[in-house]
């Protein structure tokens, strides 16, 4: 099961302005009602339809253990080879091939300029992929499904980078953090719809499974036509193309009657700063000591998201109550996403991230106890169910959404595209590993599978506590200074330890 995948992609134009300019800006602009215009709402809604498709694609394929539903029908009929081991292999491939598409496309998104045209173009991939899965019953089903998943993965890898770029670039500064979390709400909504429609009495049966697999193509068509009504990013028009008048027109459409002078001034400053800072290559990002710590943090938040154990939820749901978990799990999740929209700018990123990991660790321990004792005490199913609900809710508090935007906040204009490209690639790679290996791990460990994730979560908590900085309200200079202080203290500690060892050696001599 590859439940949540959060690749992060951005561009040199960036959706996040230089954070040195953000301090105090929320109070200057305020959350004025005129900022939330009809055009802005339409544009954000249209963009996050890409994440809805992504969530649907994750949820619709996430129950390979349910032999009673249609999820395994394509692999038990037609031309698919028989046998439990072959079935597991093909199913794991159908899950993980989705991530391979994302891995390939994650390196290209950071350098895409025209967001609206790019989102229009990549919808073609979604339509083709969903058509292949929708027509799977009329050919070699396993081949068509795997091919369709691969093409859909390409789409999701591109879309999951384009959408946060576009939403961030069109959003007012005061609303940027809140609107930037709506992608997770779209993912959860897509997962919910796919899981509900996948119930046996709806589309999860022998007759309707092709429609179930290919239904997100309808969202791609809807997004395609709605994008024709959306304005291009004013930041892209001004900073990259130098089209001042078109940028002003785009701002007026997005902001209503607001005076665009302040934002134009900010764009001009950002343009000058971007011009003064050279773009950093991926190779330099890894070779330069000044980028080493933020790169490690950027990669670790992606790894912690994928290896946190969220993908083990399906195993637990199979052992308790599939239908209850399927629908009940997502309902508090959606409510939690609405809460997250307001929390992200009120509470620090680091605090939410660590709090989410701690909550997941406690829930993982409770789930392990509940699953192990399920055969002895029937009421343990309720304990496990509550623990699963809490596990997913805590995931949505921090480890789910925060890796999306914290990577962009760790780097300035020059290194940001390369940093976000490798972070996205890391996330997709972890997603592929989980999708390919999790079924085998679940079969091997059984109810103890959450023990593995509990140990990993403890490691992620310790790493976040000691290494992940708080980025809320801080400039890049302040964040860089914090990394430099940690590097200097680590060097001093190493030198002190070396000197102490030398001193002890000389005393012994």
């Amino acid at each position: 099961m590859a439940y949540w995948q959060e690749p992060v992609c951005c561009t040199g134009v960036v959706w996040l302005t230089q954070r040195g300019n953000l301090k105090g800006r929320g109070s200057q602009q305020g959350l004025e009602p005129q900022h939330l215009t009809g055009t802005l709402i339409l544009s954000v809604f249209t963009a996050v339809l890409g994440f809805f498709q992504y969530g649907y694609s994750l949820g619709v394929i996430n129950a390979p253990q349910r032999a009673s539903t249609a999820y395994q029908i394509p692999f038990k009929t037609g031309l698919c080879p028989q046998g439990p081991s072959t079935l597991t292999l093909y199913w794991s491939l159908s899950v993980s091939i989705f991530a391979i598409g994302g891995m390939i496309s994650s390196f290209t998104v950071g350098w895409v300029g025209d967001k609206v045209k790019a989102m229009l173009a990549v919808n073609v991939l979604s339509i083709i992929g969903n058509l292949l899965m929708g027509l799977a019953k009329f050919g070699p089903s396993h081949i068509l499904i795997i091919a369709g998943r691969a093409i859909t993965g390409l789409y999701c890898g591109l879309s999951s980078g384009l959408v946060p770029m576009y939403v961030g670039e069109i959003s007012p500064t005061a609303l940027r953090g809140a609107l930037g979390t709506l992608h997770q709400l779209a993912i959860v909504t897509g997962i919910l719809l796919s899981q509900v429609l996948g119930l046996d009495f709806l589309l999860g049966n022998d007759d309707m499974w092709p429609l179930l697999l290919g239904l997100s193509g309808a969202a791609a068509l809807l997004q395609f036509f709605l994008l024709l009504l959306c304005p291009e990013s004013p930041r892209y028009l001004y900073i990259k193309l130098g089209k001042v008048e078109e940028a002003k027109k785009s701002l007026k459409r997005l902001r209503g009657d607001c005076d665009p002078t302040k934002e134009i001034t900010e764009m001009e400053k950002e343009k000058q700063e971007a011009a003064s800072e050279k773009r950093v290559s991926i190779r330099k990002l890894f070779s330069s000591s000044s980028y080493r710590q933020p790169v490690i943090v950027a990669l670790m938040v992606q790894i912690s998201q994928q290896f946190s154990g969220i993908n083990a939820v399906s195993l637990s749901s199979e052992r308790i109550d599939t239908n209850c978990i399927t629908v009940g799990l997502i309902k508090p999740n959606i409510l939690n996403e609405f809460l997250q929209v307001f929390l992200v700018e009120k509470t620090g990123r680091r605090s939410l991230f660590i709090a989410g990991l701690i909550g997941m660790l406690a829930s993982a321990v409770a789930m392990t106890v509940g699953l192990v004792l399920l055969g002895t005490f029937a009421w343990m199913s309720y304990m496990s169910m509550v623990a699963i609900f809490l596990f997913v809710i805590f995931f949505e508090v921090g480890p789910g959404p925060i890796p999306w935007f914290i990577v962009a906040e760790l780097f300035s204009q020059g290194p940001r595209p390369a940093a976000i490209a490798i972070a996205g690639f890391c996330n997709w790679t972890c997603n592929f590993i989980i999708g390919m290996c999790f079924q085998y791990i679940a079969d091997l460990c059984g109810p103890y599978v959450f023990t593995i994730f509990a140990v990993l979560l403890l490691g992620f908590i310790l790493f976040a506590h000691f290494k992940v900085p708080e980025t809320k309200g801080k400039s890049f200079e302040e964040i860089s200074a914090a990394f430099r202080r940690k590097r200097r203290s680590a060097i001093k500690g190493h030198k002190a330890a070396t000197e102490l060892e030398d001193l002890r050696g000389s005393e012994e001599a």
Side-chain angles (χ1 to χ4, degrees), residues 19-261:
R19 290 193 60 83
N21 302 329
L22 293 183
K23 295 185 71 176
R25 193 181 295 162
S27 60
Q28 293 171 4
Q29 289 184 325
L31 295 175
E32 299 174 14
Q34 60 264 35
H35 279 164
L36 204 59
T37 62
T39 303
L40 178 61
I41 293 172
L42 173 66
S43 300
V44 172
F45 170 78
T46 302
V48 298
L49 279 174
F51 277 95
F52 171 83
Q53 295 177 63
Y54 169 68
Y56 187 94
S57 297
L58 291 178
V60 79
I61 207 78
N62 271 343
Q65 298 95 339
R66 288 186 230 168
S68 62
T69 71
Y71 292 119
Q72 287 192 8
I73 290 171
F75 295 88
K76 290 184 173 180
T77 60
L79 301 178
C80 184
Q82 299 296 307
S85 60
T86 303
L87 180 63
T88 300
L89 175 62
Y90 271 90
W91 193 260
S92 297
L93 184 59
S94 73
V95 174
S96 60
I97 197 72
F98 178 78
I100 292 179
M103 288 164 60
I104 294 170
S105 58
S106 63
F107 271 115
T108 63
V109 176
W111 288 267
V112 174
D114 194 321
K115 313 303 182 302
V116 173
K117 290 180 181 178
M119 285 190 287
L120 278 168
V122 299
N123 266 294
V124 175
L125 292 173
S126 178
I127 294 169
I128 293 172
N130 281 285
L131 276 175
L132 288 175
M133 290 187 288
L135 298 173
K137 204 171 185 181
F138 302 100
S141 56
H142 61 296
I143 294 176
L144 291 176
I145 290 175
I146 290 171
R149 290 279 295 173
I151 296 173
T152 307
L154 284 171
Y155 161 78
C156 289
L158 290 164
S159 179
S160 59
L162 291 168
V163 170
M165 282 194 283
Y166 179 70
V167 171
E169 289 179 6
I170 66 174
S171 301
T173 301
L175 297 176
R176 190 165 293 148
L179 294 178
T181 62
L182 292 178
H183 71 276
Q184 195 74 9
L185 177 61
I187 291 174
V188 172
T189 305
I191 292 172
L192 173 62
L193 182 62
S194 68
Q195 297 280 301
V196 171
L197 292 178
L199 297 176
D200 290 348
F201 60 88
L202 292 176
L203 300 181
N205 52 64
D206 194 13
D207 296 323
M208 304 301 292
W209 65 261
L211 178 60
L212 173 67
L213 292 177
L215 196 59
S216 68
L221 286 172
L222 176 62
Q223 186 184 40
F224 183 89
F225 289 110
L226 288 179
L227 280 169
L228 299 174
L229 306 176
C230 298
E232 183 51 82
S233 161
R235 274 189 156 72
Y236 169 71
L237 292 171
Y238 188 94
I239 298 174
K240 293 295 286 186
L241 301 184
K243 297 180 178 180
V244 180
E245 293 305 317
E246 288 189 30
K248 288 181 178 179
K249 288 179 182 178
S250 179
L251 274 174
K252 286 182 179 179
R253 287 185 63 189
L254 291 165
R255 305 289 186 265
D257 296 329
C258 291
D259 183 8
T261 305

Side-chain angles (χ1 to χ4, degrees), residues 285-489:
L285 203 61
F286 282 102
S287 60
S288 175
S289 60
S290 59
Y291 298 128
R292 191 165 298 142
Q293 288 195 56
V295 166
I296 291 173
V297 170
L299 295 179
M300 281 300 296
V301 294
Q302 308 302 319
I303 294 170
S304 64
Q305 183 196 80
Q306 287 300 306
F307 289 163
S308 63
I310 194 67
N311 301 299
V313 169
S314 66
L315 174 66
S316 304
S317 66
E318 292 304 317
R319 293 173 177 271
I320 305 171
D321 186 339
T322 296
N323 291 344
C324 178
I325 294 293
T326 295
V327 181
L329 186 65
I330 310 295
K331 286 160 66 177
N333 208 2
I334 291 178
L335 295 175
N336 191 53
E337 283 308 315
F338 282 108
L339 180 63
Q340 177 72 15
V341 170
F342 300 99
L343 279 178
V344 69
E345 289 299 340
K346 298 293 183 183
T347 310
R349 279 77 155 136
R350 179 178 179 273
S351 302
L352 281 177
F353 189 73
I354 294 176
L357 290 174
I358 292 174
M360 292 178 74
L361 173 59
S363 301
V365 172
M367 273 188 280
T368 301
V369 174
L371 291 173
V372 170
L373 299 179
L374 187 59
T376 306
F377 304 101
W379 56 269
M380 279 291 176
S381 63
Y382 298 103
M383 174 180 171
S384 299
M385 198 179 301
V386 171
I388 289 174
F389 291 159
L390 291 174
F391 190 82
V392 177
I393 288 174
F394 279 116
F395 175 81
E396 294 299 336
V397 165
I402 286 176
W404 275 99
F405 50 84
I406 194 172
V407 177
E409 295 178 337
L410 292 173
F411 297 90
S412 59
Q413 296 276 5
R416 187 181 296 140
I420 291 181
I422 62 169
F425 182 80
C426 174
N427 197 298
W428 280 105
T429 302
C430 293
N431 185 265
F432 169 77
I433 294 170
I434 289 289
M436 199 68 195
C437 302
F438 177 74
Q439 187 61 44
Y440 297 99
I441 296 172
D443 293 341
L444 179 65
C445 298
Y448 294 95
V449 67
F450 278 98
T451 305
I452 299 173
F453 296 113
V455 174
L456 290 173
L457 283 165
L458 179 60
F460 296 145
I461 291 168
L462 293 174
F463 177 86
H465 176 73
F466 291 107
K467 295 294 184 180
V468 176
E470 180 56 71
T471 60
K472 178 180 177 290
K474 292 184 178 180
S475 67
F476 289 120
E477 290 73 20
E478 291 172 322
I479 295 171
S480 298
F483 279 122
R484 285 195 297 271
R485 284 195 299 270
K486 288 183 179 180
R487 187 165 66 248
R488 282 198 297 266
S489 67

